[in-house]
Amino acid sequence: MARSWILLRGLVREQGHWGAFLEALRLAHPRDHIICLDLPGAGTHYQGKAPLTVKAMRRALEQELAGLQLPAGPRLLLAVSLGAMVALDWIEHDARAFDHVVLINSSVKGLSRPWQRLRPSALLGLLPVFTLKGPARERQILSVVSNVPANYEALSREWDAIARARPISTENTLRQLTAALRFRLPQRPVTHPQLLVLASTQDRMVRVECSRALARYLGAPLAEHPTAGHDLTTDAPDWVLQQVSAFLSRAGS
């Protein structure tokens, strides 16, 4: 039976930033359905206002997904960073919404310290983003979230085209960041049986200890890439797919 993959990006990122990972996923699973959702205030929703809480983001996406009327079959939610916080809220609210959930380079207030959830050096690296324009702005973002400098030139042009087509406002950037920093441990234990946590050991934006703490809290398996940056699906798309495929095999799906 065909599977539905629901993909959700992170802070000030959108479906256009899946890049090579999305193409690799389509090639690896040509019969499955792939749905890319955008957080409120970004991507297809860039003209709207981002909520100030993860819970409100989840509610908006829950409504959007319900309107898509997906075919019957297993559903896998793969979410990055802020998107993974939304995923955690989602499965706390409805543990049956997805059959499998993959959380990538995320963090939770209450499990990790503020300076672990957003490294001070990363914050300093991102401050120039508010004054830069064009590919230079995207190159600065890449210098924080990616550990593959050889890709910066091409990706900065691609990401600039995305930013020009669907620009995320400074207000929405700050509102998304506020929601991320405020997100804390769910009120009820998350008991979803099929969870996988992926992380980058050399993440220069969010310390890898955040994912380790999250995996322990959830009782979920953890796999770490030794060299990739925060944007794991950009730096190591094939590795992510390998890990997810192994996860699905172990789950018998």
Side-chain angles (χ1 to χ4, degrees), residues 51-58 80-93 103 105-114 117 175-188 190 210 214 217-218:
L52 289 170
T53 67
V54 164
K55 186 175 295 293
M57 291 181 177
R58 183 264 301 168
V80 178
S81 195
L82 174 56
M85 299 178 205
V86 175
L88 279 169
D89 184 79
W90 205 328
I91 59 177
E92 180 208 6
H93 172 71
L103 309 170
N105 283 335
S106 195
S107 65
V108 178
K109 184 178 181 180
L111 287 180
S112 303
R113 302 293 186 182
R117 301 189 65 208
R175 291 177 72 90
Q176 283 195 356
L177 180 60
T178 299
L181 294 177
R182 292 171 64 184
F183 182 66
R184 61 169 53 251
L185 283 172
Q187 294 180 351
R188 295 177 297 176
V190 176
C210 296
L214 182 59
Y217 168 75
L218 296 171

Side-chain angles (χ1 to χ4, degrees), residues 211-232:
S211 287
R212 292 171 180 169
L214 182 59
R216 287 194 298 270
Y217 168 75
L218 296 171
L222 167 70
E224 295 182 24
H225 192 283
T227 61
H230 183 69
D231 198 336
L232 181 55

Side-chain angles (χ1 to χ4, degrees), residues 28-168:
H29 300 274
R31 297 182 180 180
D32 286 353
H33 308 279
I34 302 172
I35 299 94
C36 298
L37 298 179
D38 286 324
L39 292 172
T44 53
H45 308 303
Y46 78 96
Q47 293 177 311
K49 183 173 287 190
L52 289 170
T53 67
V54 164
K55 186 175 295 293
M57 291 181 177
R58 183 264 301 168
R59 287 171 177 160
L61 292 171
E62 193 175 34
Q63 184 175 11
E64 181 181 357
L65 188 63
L68 295 179
Q69 298 181 336
L70 298 182
R75 295 185 180 186
L76 183 148
L77 177 60
L78 186 147
V80 178
S81 195
L82 174 56
M85 299 178 205
V86 175
L88 279 169
D89 184 79
W90 205 328
I91 59 177
E92 180 208 6
H93 172 71
D94 182 4
R96 296 177 296 178
F98 306 99
D99 298 276
H100 308 89
V101 180
V102 181
L103 309 170
I104 301 176
N105 283 335
S106 195
S107 65
V108 178
K109 184 178 181 180
L111 287 180
S112 303
R113 302 293 186 182
W115 57 86
Q116 294 177 314
R117 301 189 65 208
L118 179 60
R119 288 174 177 256
S121 58
L123 181 59
L124 289 174
L126 290 173
L127 285 178
V129 167
F130 293 101
T131 57
L132 293 171
K133 295 182 179 180
R137 177 181 183 274
E138 300 303 325
R139 195 177 298 112
Q140 185 66 28
I141 293 173
L142 282 161
S143 73
V144 174
V145 303
S146 170
N147 290 352
V148 187
N151 293 340
Y152 290 1
E153 191 63 32
L155 280 175
S156 65
R157 292 194 298 269
E158 292 177 19
W159 287 10
D160 178 53
I162 295 168
R164 284 186 281 108
R166 295 176 294 276
I168 183 168

